[in-house]
């Protein structure tokens, strides 16, 4: 499993779907928002939690179609499906690789980009915590969507349509955690809900994604 994770990390970086793509998109979204809504710091402070979470969500969405596509194209996915390792474990490792190359850089860069939107200082820790709790769910849900659409023509568009509605609960509780942290309110409830969503997706979706892969590879 560790060898598979290292291989996927190397392929993600070589294929251009790694650290740079999502991070650059996140930066562009953060920079463009003040041009669209104006430089008023009060408005930017109010919308910063939602904008940062939307930007992170869309940045994760960019590279989802690469999770299984490269392996499907070169035949590696068929070998992995018949290898003496659980296909559920393969799905989990690919989701972990996606999170390391996409979600983790967003978590680390979010506080720096938060300054561009005048995010209140008390919210920075909650921003990083919420992204650390929520982005693994985004990667796992994305792996499930990628398994459903692997091998389909124009699967990227269908993947986005399938995955975005499933992202909504994570977006709501993630943005609410940051918002409450900025206002000095209790953050336990949305943060626990966010963590619960991540735990549920990590526990259930590898099995669903593996089943979808078996169907698509027949």
């Amino acid at each position: 499993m560790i060898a598979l994770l290292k291989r996927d990390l190397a392929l993600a970086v070589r294929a251009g779907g790694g650290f740079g793509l999502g991070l650059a998109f996140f930066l562009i979204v953060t920079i463009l928002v003040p041009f669209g809504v104006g430089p008023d710091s009060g408005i930017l402070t109010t919308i910063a939690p939602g904008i940062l979470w939307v930007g992170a969500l869309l940045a994760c969405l960019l590279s989802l179609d690469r999770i299984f596509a490269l392996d499907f194209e070169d035949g590696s996915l068929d070998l992995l499906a018949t290898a003496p390792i659980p296909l559920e474990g393969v799905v989990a490792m690919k989701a972990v690789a996606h999170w390391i190359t996409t979600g983790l850089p967003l978590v680390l860069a979010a506080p720096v980009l938060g300054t561009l939107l005048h995010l209140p200082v008390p919210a920075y820790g909650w921003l990083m915590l919420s992204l650390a709790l929520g982005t693994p769910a985004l990667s796992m849900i994305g792996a499930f969507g990628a398994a459903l659409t692997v091998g389909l023509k124009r699967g990227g568009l269908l993947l986005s349509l399938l995955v975005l509605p499933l992202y909504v609960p994570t977006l709501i509780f993630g943005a609410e955690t940051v918002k409450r942290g900025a206002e000095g309110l209790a953050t336990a409830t949305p943060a626990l809900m966010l963590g619960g969503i991540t735990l549920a997706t990590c526990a259930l979706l590898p099995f669903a994604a593996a089943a979808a892969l078996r169907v698509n590879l027949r």
Side-chain angles (χ1 to χ4, degrees), residues 150-175:
V150 66
L152 297 179
K153 294 182 178 179
R154 299 181 181 177
L157 178 59
L158 180 58
L159 174 59
S160 300
L161 294 176
L162 289 173
V163 165
L164 280 175
L166 301 178
Y167 276 178
V168 172
T170 302
L171 171 63
I172 291 173
F173 290 115

Side-chain angles (χ1 to χ4, degrees), residues 77-126:
L77 192 58
D78 294 299
L79 296 177
L80 291 172
T82 57
I85 56 175
L87 193 54
E88 294 80 5
V90 173
V91 172
M93 286 299 101
K94 287 189 171 294
V96 170
H98 180 269
W99 181 78
I100 291 175
T101 56
T102 303
L104 182 58
L106 299 180
V107 174
L108 299 177
V112 178
L113 300 181
T115 60
L116 300 177
L117 299 177
H118 299 278
L119 185 71
V121 174
Y124 282 92
W126 291 110

Side-chain angles (χ1 to χ4, degrees), residues 54-79:
V54 168
L57 185 152
L58 295 177
C60 287
L61 190 67
L62 285 178
S63 56
L64 290 183
D65 60 339
R66 298 174 180 267
I67 293 180
F68 296 112
L70 296 178
D71 289 329
F72 180 81
E73 291 171 0
D74 64 12
S76 299
L77 192 58
D78 294 299
L79 296 177

Side-chain angles (χ1 to χ4, degrees), residues 10-88:
L11 287 176
V13 175
R14 291 174 188 172
F19 302 93
L21 182 62
L23 203 56
F25 183 84
F26 195 19
L27 175 62
I28 290 171
V29 170
T30 306
I31 291 175
L32 290 180
V33 167
F35 289 102
V37 303
D40 190 321
S41 60
I43 296 176
L44 292 175
T45 298
T46 302
I47 67 173
I51 293 300
L52 289 168
W53 252 97
V54 168
L57 185 152
L58 295 177
C60 287
L61 190 67
L62 285 178
S63 56
L64 290 183
D65 60 339
R66 298 174 180 267
I67 293 180
F68 296 112
L70 296 178
D71 289 329
F72 180 81
E73 291 171 0
D74 64 12
S76 299
L77 192 58
D78 294 299
L79 296 177
L80 291 172
T82 57
I85 56 175
L87 193 54
E88 294 80 5

